[in-house]
């Protein structure tokens, strides 16, 4: 059974991530979508919120028969891959600017766990400009994000930045 793992911060998950998830899920027996704690990035959504958003949107995006699991992890990706019995790491490439970083990560992961392969999928050209950071900037200025993230995620973004929902607001 070929188990692949698609790791990321997913703060929040975007249509670009979903495109990679749907394509990868069709290629392997099981796909683990692994949400990294990512202390360095100081995520807007906590890890439970990020996992929950992916679970909700995947219930609509993937067929019931599709074998997948959404997990949260803290620590080394390759350790989590081993724990989940995954032998393939999936990464999406949007442009040449992603390449250097991805090459370094794939190289390090290969050193740490030589039998785990990294497989790259080209992001759909429709999503080349997307990043979670840019989408958060749009939401912070009360811009519409539905073209970039599923409606459930857009609503969560709106709530994060809605001043009337802040604690103590009248
Ligand atoms: N569509 C849209 N956006 C995409 C995308 C796609 N197909 N692919 C990547 N992105 C964006 C993300 O939104 C993200 O944007 P942001 O930086 O504004 O948040 C950016 O590209 C890269 O994010 P992502 O793909 O989620 O990777 P990451 O850099 O956040 O996560 C980990 C990298 C978590 C996989 C890596 O840090 C890791 O493995 N950490 C665990 C610790 C470890 O093992 N370290 C050693 C690694 S060698």
């Amino acid at each position: 059974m070929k188990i692949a793992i698609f790791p990321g911060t997913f703060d929040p998950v975007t249509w670009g991530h979903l495109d990679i998830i749907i394509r990868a899920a069709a290629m392997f027996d099981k796909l683990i979508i692994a949400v990294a704690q990512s202390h360095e990035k100081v995520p807007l959504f906590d890890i439970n919120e990020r996992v929950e958003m992916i679970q909700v949107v995947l219930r609509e995006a993937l067929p019931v028969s599709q074998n997948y699991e959404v997990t949260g992890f803290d620590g080394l990706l390759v350790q989590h891959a081993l724990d989940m019995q995954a032998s393939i790491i999936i990464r999406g490439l949007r442009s040449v600017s992603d390449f250097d970083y991805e090459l370094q990560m794939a190289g390090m992961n290969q050193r740490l766990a030589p039998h785990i392969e990294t497989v790259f999928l080209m992001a759909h050209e429709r999503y080349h400009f997307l990043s979670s950071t840019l989408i958060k900037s749009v939401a912070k200025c009360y811009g519409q994000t539905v073209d970039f993230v599923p409606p459930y995620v857009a609503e969560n973004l709106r709530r994060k930045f809605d001043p009337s929902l802040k604690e103590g607001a009248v």
Side-chain angles (χ1 to χ4, degrees):
M1 174 148 159
K2 281 270 173 235
I3 304 179
I5 189 163
F6 178 41
T9 306
F10 303 110
D11 185 43
V13 66
T14 70
W15 285 123
H17 292 129
L18 284 172
D19 169 56
I20 300 283
I21 291 171
I22 291 165
R23 287 158 55 201
M27 292 168 68
F28 299 98
D29 298 313
K30 181 172 181 179
L31 181 69
I32 313 285
I33 300 100
V35 181
Q37 181 77 52
S38 288
H39 299 283
E40 318 76 41
K41 280 197 170 177
V42 193
L44 172 68
F45 293 97
D46 71 32
I47 191 161
N48 297 324
E49 292 174 312
R50 285 178 276 143
V51 166
E52 191 260 354
M53 280 190 283
I54 298 174
Q55 281 168 337
V56 169
V57 297
L58 285 188
R59 258 177 242 139
E60 281 199 7
L62 286 179
V64 186
S65 59
Q66 201 87 59
N67 198 1
Y68 73 90
E69 191 176 340
V70 188
T71 60
F73 77 102
D74 197 2
L76 274 185
L77 167 62
V78 289
Q79 185 55 55
H80 188 55
L82 290 172
D83 293 344
M84 302 307 294
Q85 292 169 350
S87 55
I88 293 136
I89 295 171
I90 300 288
R91 294 291 291 166
L93 283 179
R94 288 164 300 172
S95 62
V96 282
S97 59
D98 281 343
F99 185 76
D100 274 349
Y101 173 60
E102 294 299 335
L103 187 70
Q104 282 183 8
M105 272 213 308
M108 178 58 80
N109 285 330
Q110 194 172 46
R111 273 298 175 95
L112 294 169
H115 54 285
I116 298 182
E117 286 288 351
T118 300
V119 170
F120 295 101
L121 295 184
M122 295 307 298
H124 195 290
E125 47 88 10
R126 215 177 10 224
Y127 307 122
H128 277 190
F129 67 98
L130 279 188
S131 87
S132 299
T133 301
L134 278 182
I135 294 166
K136 282 179 283 190
S137 310
V138 172
K140 198 172 176 181
C141 301
Y142 313 118
Q144 288 292 337
T145 57
V146 278
D147 284 347
F148 318 128
V149 294
Y152 181 72
V153 178
E155 178 56 19
N156 275 276
L157 276 166
R158 196 189 63 75
R159 293 176 71 85
K160 276 281 178 203
F161 293 112
D162 186 339
S164 67
L165 297 175
K166 287 246 182 307
E167 248 173 73
V170 283

